[in-house]
């Protein structure tokens, strides 16, 4: 089992940047592929980015490609989401998630592919 705690959210103007962090504790961090999802008010949770256990493979949603970067530090047991060129439509609660087993390398895009979730951090982008 792994516990996930997100941080780094906040209020930023359009065009600005934020870096989200997700600290993991518990089982060996490299046992997990990691993902970031977001959920805006009244909408379903949607995939943002995923990274495999080693950090060697990454995928992004089309809506954030070229603006967001997912990375991980397997010494610090932390996954990051660097967000640049933020838009008002990026406003949402952002969640990190961990996927074990096959999920450690499969770069899942569906919430059902992840086993553990953090509590979320709010990102608000003003126009």
């Amino acid at each position: 089992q792994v516990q996930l705690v997100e941080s780094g959210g906040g209020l930023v103007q359009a065009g600005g940047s934020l870096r989200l962090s997700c600290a993991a504790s518990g089982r060996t961090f490299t046992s997990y592929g990691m993902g970031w999802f977001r959920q805006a008010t009244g909408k379903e949770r949607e995939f943002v980015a995923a990274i495999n256990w080693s950090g060697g493979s990454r995928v992004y949603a089309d809506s954030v490609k070229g603006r967001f970067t997912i990375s991980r530090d397997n010494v610090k047991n932390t996954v990051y989401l660097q967000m640049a060129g933020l838009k008002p439509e990026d406003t949402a609660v952002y969640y990190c998630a961990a996927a074990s087993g096959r999920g450690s390398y499969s770069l899942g895009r569906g919430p059902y592919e992840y086993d553990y979730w953090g509590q979320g951090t709010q990102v608000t982008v003003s126009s």
Side-chain angles (χ1 to χ4, degrees):
Q1 191 167 353
V2 64
Q3 292 77 43
L4 304 173
V5 179
E6 301 99 333
S7 61
L11 173 64
V12 64
Q13 288 188 333
S17 300
L18 280 176
R19 187 177 79 158
L20 305 184
S21 300
C22 173
S25 61
R27 194 179 159 192
T28 306
F29 187 54
T30 52
S31 298
Y32 300 96
M34 301 298 295
W36 285 97
F37 290 77
R38 66 187 182 187
Q39 189 166 17
T41 302
K43 295 188 176 181
E44 292 187 352
R45 192 166 299 191
E46 67 171 355
F47 171 76
V48 175
I51 189 167
N52 75 333
W53 67 273
S54 69
S57 296
R58 314 169 192 193
V59 292
Y60 298 92
D62 288 345
S63 59
V64 307
K65 199 173 296 182
R67 299 188 298 124
F68 291 9
T69 302
I70 188 171
S71 62
R72 66 189 292 162
D73 185 330
N74 286 341
V75 174
K76 295 182 177 179
N77 291 351
T78 301
V79 63
Y80 303 98
L81 186 68
Q82 180 68 49
M83 305 185 293
L86 283 162
K87 305 175 182 180
E89 51 263 44
D90 294 318
T91 295
V93 177
Y94 282 71
Y95 300 90
C96 71
S100 62
R102 181 179 180 276
S104 67
Y105 57 86
S106 63
L107 300 172
R109 292 173 179 259
Y112 59 90
E113 299 181 70
Y114 291 81
D115 305 297
Y116 304 100
W117 293 83
Q119 83 288 349
T121 185
Q122 176 72 46
V123 172
T124 303
V125 184
S126 63
S127 58

